[in-house]
Structures are given as C-alpha cells and as structure tokens.
Amino acid sequence: MRSVIDTIDLTVEELDGIIQTACDISENPQKYAEKCKGKKLATLFFEPSTRTRFSFEAAMNRLGGRVIGFSEPNSSSTAKGETLEDTMETVSCYSDLIVMRHPRAGSASEASKFARVPFINAGDGGNQHPTQTLTDLLTIKSLKGNLENHTIGICGDLKNGRTVHSLIEAMVRYKNIKFILISRKFCGNIIICSFWN
C-alpha cells in the first residue's frame, strides 16, 4: 500500500481497480470482514468532518481493523505547538495507515513526507480530496455503467472547492468527458451564475 495525496497519484487502471474492489466489498462484505484484522488506522482531523471521518472509521471497522486518532485538534499536542512533522512521526509509531484532513492547502503533501506509514489525504484546504473523488467515480459508474462519454455539471466554489479539483483531475483521463462549470457568487439576494463549457 502507498500514499494517496492527490487524485493524479492514481493511474486510470488503479482508479478502475479500486472501484471494482469497492463494488466487490459491497456485494460480498463477509469476504472482506477480516482483511484489516490487526491493523490500526489513525484518523487525524484538524477541521470538522462528519461524513468523511465516519466513512473511514466505519470502513476500517467493517474490515476488521481498529481506529485511533482525533476529531478535534485541540485534544492533540498540536494545541501545545507540536509541528505537523512531529505529529506524523509520532502517529506513525502507533498506526499502520494515517488519514488526515487539514484546513491548509498543501498540508497533506507536507505531512506525507514525515509519515513512515501509508498516508491518505482526506481533504487539504481548497486543494484536493481524492477519496471523495473515488466515491464520486463509484457513484457515476453505478448510475451510468461506465466512466466515459459523459457531460458533467459542477456548481459551486470552483476556485476553492477541493472536491471539484480532484474530480476534474480524475475524469479528464477518461474518454470523451465534458464539463459544464457553474460558478456561484452571492450579491445580497441576487445569485450571479457564470457558465463555462
């Protein structure tokens, strides 16, 4: 197993393989019930999260592993000034895999340099969110049957939306993909929408 910081860390073949494995886990949960037995996942959430944190924790539990970590940075030594480097080195001693969410763009790349176990980026500021992209790809494939020949509309904060950046990076590697990007700006009670194709 290796680290995943950015969507482009995974080849198309790896993306397809992960999606296929996710489908197999969904269809045959008992087959995977002990796959992570004896393994510990450290979840380090430096900003609030419900769905992403719970999805990692639930997945690890369903695969027979254990979860350690924090969901509130003030409950860790970072509140006393511990650096990201020190946190990664310490947590690497107690875990087999680290998942981190951090409010600062680029923090995942920085942290992964000091982790001595595989590291997964669960969102770093407005930069990347590769695991959300895997979920989005799985959803698209489940609903449409494949990941090619689609026009995808994305609405929201296009500049700072980490999910937008990751999904576009992944999808442009599939054949005949088009995007309709809709940027929303709020001006009082008026919503101004700009469209790019």
Side-chain angles (χ1 to χ4, degrees):
M1 183 180 214
R2 62 185 172 82
S3 297
V4 177
I5 312 305
D6 192 304
T7 306
I8 59 173
D9 291 340
L10 300 167
T11 65
V12 170
E13 292 76 19
E14 288 172 318
L15 290 170
D16 291 341
I18 291 168
I19 291 166
Q20 184 56 48
T21 300
C23 290
D24 195 40
I25 291 171
S26 180
E27 293 168 8
N28 306 289
Q30 284 308 114
K31 176 180 165 185
Y32 294 88
E34 300 293 320
K35 283 290 183 184
C36 291
K37 185 175 182 179
K39 301 294 183 184
K40 288 189 288 295
L41 166 68
T43 55
L44 311 181
F45 279 73
F46 289 88
E47 67 176 4
S49 170
T50 301
R51 287 168 297 282
T52 301
R53 184 171 62 88
F54 278 20
S55 66
F56 273 104
E57 293 179 3
M60 191 61 166
N61 285 315
R62 287 179 180 152
L63 295 172
R66 296 181 59 205
V67 179
I68 59 174
F70 58 82
S71 61
E72 172 56 53
N74 289 334
S75 67
S76 75
S77 291
T78 58
K80 300 185 294 187
E82 182 178 78
T83 65
L84 202 52
E85 176 180 351
D86 289 339
T87 300
M88 291 303 113
E89 289 179 352
T90 300
V91 173
S92 293
C93 295
Y94 297 102
S95 63
D96 300 292
L97 172 65
I98 297 173
V99 173
M100 185 183 86
R101 167 161 299 173
H102 200 283
R104 184 171 45 84
S107 58
S109 179
E110 177 188 339
S112 69
K113 294 174 187 172
F114 304 108
R116 294 192 304 268
V117 296
F119 178 97
I120 296 177
N121 178 9
D124 63 327
N127 188 32
Q128 288 287 320
H129 196 335
T131 57
Q132 178 62 55
T133 292
L134 291 169
T135 303
D136 294 340
L137 295 178
L138 178 62
T139 301
I140 292 167
K141 183 158 187 179
S142 296
L143 294 174
K144 297 296 185 179
N146 64 62
L147 295 171
E148 298 179 348
N149 305 309
H150 299 301
T151 299
I152 300 168
I154 300 177
C155 177
D157 185 349
L158 302 178
K159 180 180 177 184
N160 300 305
R162 58 188 168 216
T163 55
V164 172
H165 303 157
S166 292
L167 183 60
I168 289 173
E169 279 187 5
M171 289 301 298
V172 296
R173 294 186 281 166
Y174 290 92
K175 293 179 185 174
N176 195 28
I177 299 296
K178 297 177 184 172
F179 291 97
I180 298 173
L181 304 177
I182 307 158
S183 176
R184 292 177 21 158
K185 295 181 183 177
F186 293 91
C187 301
N189 292 330
I190 301 170
I191 298 176
I192 302 169
C193 293
S194 303
F195 296 85
W196 295 276
N197 191 353

